[in-house]
Amino acid sequence: MKKAALLFSAMFLILLAAASSFAGTLADVKAKGILTCGISEGVPGFSIPDSTGTWVGFDVDMARAVAAAVLGDSSKVKFVPLASKQKIVAVSSGQVDLTSRTTTWTLKRDAKQGVDFTHVVFYDGQGFLIPNKLGVRSARELNGASVCVTAGTTTELNLADFARANSIKVEAVVFDGKKEALNAYAAGRCDCFTTDISQLASLRSTLKDPKSHSILPEVISKEPLAPLVRHGDNQWKDIVTWVINGLVAAEENGITAANVDKMKASAENPVIQRMLGTSGDTGSYLGLDKEWLVRAIKAVGNYGEIYNRHFGPETPLNIPRGVNNLWVRGGLQYALPIR
């Protein structure tokens, strides 16, 4: 009996130690005073250094919102550029606290690779970029084509699936990074280039003559892009999930970076009061204070403001919101109740 009790105690301590090793990201981030975030190596609109070397973009703003909520300062982020093959292991190994980097939420990644996804920030799909001079009008005309693609991505797998499903043969020319794949395409080493359509639009804008290249009409996959965190730290996952959800809820309720203080002071709507901390204490559910969402909105704006800043009609990319619009406007962005 005594041996059984000792064995049970030892097993309990081992399990407790294992659990603790997968917890505490919030405490770690606060102790460091900075959030470490993995991002892409440079995709206009999503994440790219500006003329001063400061990282800007849609994915960058999502990370800054988390930093504002947790640390009270959206500038307290260290951005770590990651190649496609690095983006999962960097999170699961603890190299970064969060990855906000055009990463597709899949079953295998979520269940088997040591990461948890949070909130879908961009609904996308895979497509093909091709020079106009080739005269190709459909992806089904790509039989025999060579296709530049990035290693370690769902893109590579989707390309193979599409070819099999349509009984065509393509040659996948694989590169470690998206930049290398794009450069190879631009140099004529491949007939076409495939990745998410939003990234095709973004990367096409960097080519010497963007108008001489077209995105084919077919969308061959679903690519729900979401920030991810290390598996096992439920509190940290909840924080990232609900900060982003809060940005969507802010757009639904007309709360912006410019009016958030006024709304906080005068709103009579109980939903808005809960969101902005004047009623209840939703922050305590996350281990944060009452103004966690106020700080995030004030730092980067609501979801629509972020989208328009990087993809809207006044930007070079001008990507219509489509399915990334709010659910009340025919899109898929739908905020869960903050209460």
Side-chain angles (χ1 to χ4, degrees), residues 1-12:
M1 180 69 73
K2 187 175 180 180
K3 287 183 178 180
L6 288 172
L7 179 61
F8 176 81
S9 297
M11 291 177 63
F12 177 78

Side-chain angles (χ1 to χ4, degrees), residues 3 11 15 18 38 43 56 63 76 101 103 107-108 134 155 167 181 220 226 251 271 281 289-290 301 328-329 337:
K3 287 183 178 180
M11 291 177 63
L15 290 172
V43 179
V56 296
K76 298 291 186 180
R101 185 208 179 281
T103 304
L107 170 61
K108 182 178 180 181
L134 293 186
T155 309
S167 300
I220 69 169
E251 184 182 10
V271 172
D281 187 7
D289 63 14
K290 291 185 177 183
V328 291
R329 298 173 192 156

Side-chain angles (χ1 to χ4, degrees), residues 202-216:
S202 170
L203 295 169
R204 177 174 60 176
S205 71
T206 68
L207 296 175
K208 185 177 181 180
D209 182 11
K211 292 183 179 180
S212 67
H213 304 265
S214 295
I215 299 173
L216 297 178

Side-chain angles (χ1 to χ4, degrees), residues 130-157:
I130 195 159
N132 296 338
K133 64 183 181 182
L134 293 186
V136 174
R137 296 290 178 265
S138 167
R140 293 179 177 83
E141 299 173 15
L142 292 174
N143 190 41
S146 57
V147 184
C148 285
V149 64
T150 309
T153 61
T154 54
T155 309
E156 188 178 4
L157 303 176

Side-chain angles (χ1 to χ4, degrees), residues 233-288:
D233 190 340
N234 293 339
Q235 181 188 32
W236 185 242
K237 177 188 175 183
D238 289 344
I239 288 171
V240 177
T241 298
W242 284 96
V243 167
I244 297 171
N245 182 78
L247 301 179
V248 178
E251 184 182 10
E252 288 183 351
N253 288 279
I255 307 170
T256 68
N259 72 17
V260 63
D261 284 331
K262 182 179 179 180
M263 296 282 274
K264 178 187 173 187
S266 62
E268 297 182 359
N269 184 328
V271 172
I272 295 175
Q273 290 178 346
R274 283 193 298 271
M275 289 174 59
L276 303 185
T278 58
S279 174
D281 187 7
T282 58
S284 65
Y285 308 153
L286 301 171
L288 303 176

Side-chain angles (χ1 to χ4, degrees), residues 55-99:
W55 284 93
V56 296
F58 181 85
D59 288 338
V60 169
D61 281 349
M62 295 299 168
R64 293 198 189 282
V66 176
V70 172
L71 297 172
D73 188 340
S74 63
S75 70
K76 298 291 186 180
V77 188
K78 176 184 177 183
F79 291 105
V80 180
L82 299 172
S84 295
K85 63 182 181 181
Q86 299 171 316
K87 60 190 177 184
I88 303 295
V89 70
V91 179
S92 62
S93 67
Q95 179 187 348
V96 297
D97 306 310
L98 160 72
T99 283

Side-chain angles (χ1 to χ4, degrees), residues 326-337:
L326 294 179
W327 63 287
V328 291
R329 298 173 192 156
L332 297 177
Q333 287 296 343
Y334 181 108
L336 304 177

